[in-house]
Amino acid sequence: SGLAVRLRGSVAVGLVLAALPSATDPVDVGRFVVAMRELAPRFGGTVVVRNGPLPVKQAVDVWGPVRGLELMRAVKHRFDPESRLSPGRFVGGI
């Protein structure tokens, strides 16, 4: 990617955290996230943007592809049909 990426994680739980410098252009962050999301499924993984400034969150889908999204929407609708509890704060706008 040409970006300075700091990594840490745990082999025991299969978690890797990647951090980019705060001055990284949001477009470059988006490209990095897209590239990682293309690679992650090969290892049974996913990529989620845990933290970032607003311009990054506007440029990138922080959750990415999510399995079971329709089921989650159905459960949310079943127990909160008027969307009063934390509307739009979860994956897929749930």
Side-chain angles (χ1 to χ4, degrees), residues 46-64:
T46 59
V47 175
V48 174
V49 177
R50 289 181 47 188
N51 296 306
L54 184 58
V56 168
K57 291 181 178 182
Q58 291 172 333
V60 176
D61 176 3
V62 295
W63 292 102

Side-chain angles (χ1 to χ4, degrees), residues 33-44:
V33 170
V34 167
M36 293 300 100
R37 285 184 175 153
E38 289 174 0
L39 294 171
R42 297 180 193 175
F43 305 98

Side-chain angles (χ1 to χ4, degrees), residues 6-19:
R6 297 180 72 190
L7 299 173
R8 71 176 202 182
S10 171
V11 174
V13 296
L15 175 72
V16 176
L17 300 174

Side-chain angles (χ1 to χ4, degrees), residues 26-94:
V27 172
D28 291 333
V29 174
R31 288 185 189 125
F32 178 78
V33 170
V34 167
M36 293 300 100
R37 285 184 175 153
E38 289 174 0
L39 294 171
R42 297 180 193 175
F43 305 98
T46 59
V47 175
V48 174
V49 177
R50 289 181 47 188
N51 296 306
L54 184 58
V56 168
K57 291 181 178 182
Q58 291 172 333
V60 176
D61 176 3
V62 295
W63 292 102
V66 177
R67 293 182 294 243
L69 186 56
E70 290 310 312
L71 174 60
M72 288 186 237
R73 284 188 173 127
V75 170
K76 169 73 172 172
H77 181 71
R78 169 70 173 91
F79 293 103
D80 184 19
E82 296 178 11
S83 249
R84 292 183 180 186
L85 304 173
S86 301
R89 293 188 182 178
F90 192 51
V91 63
I94 296 175

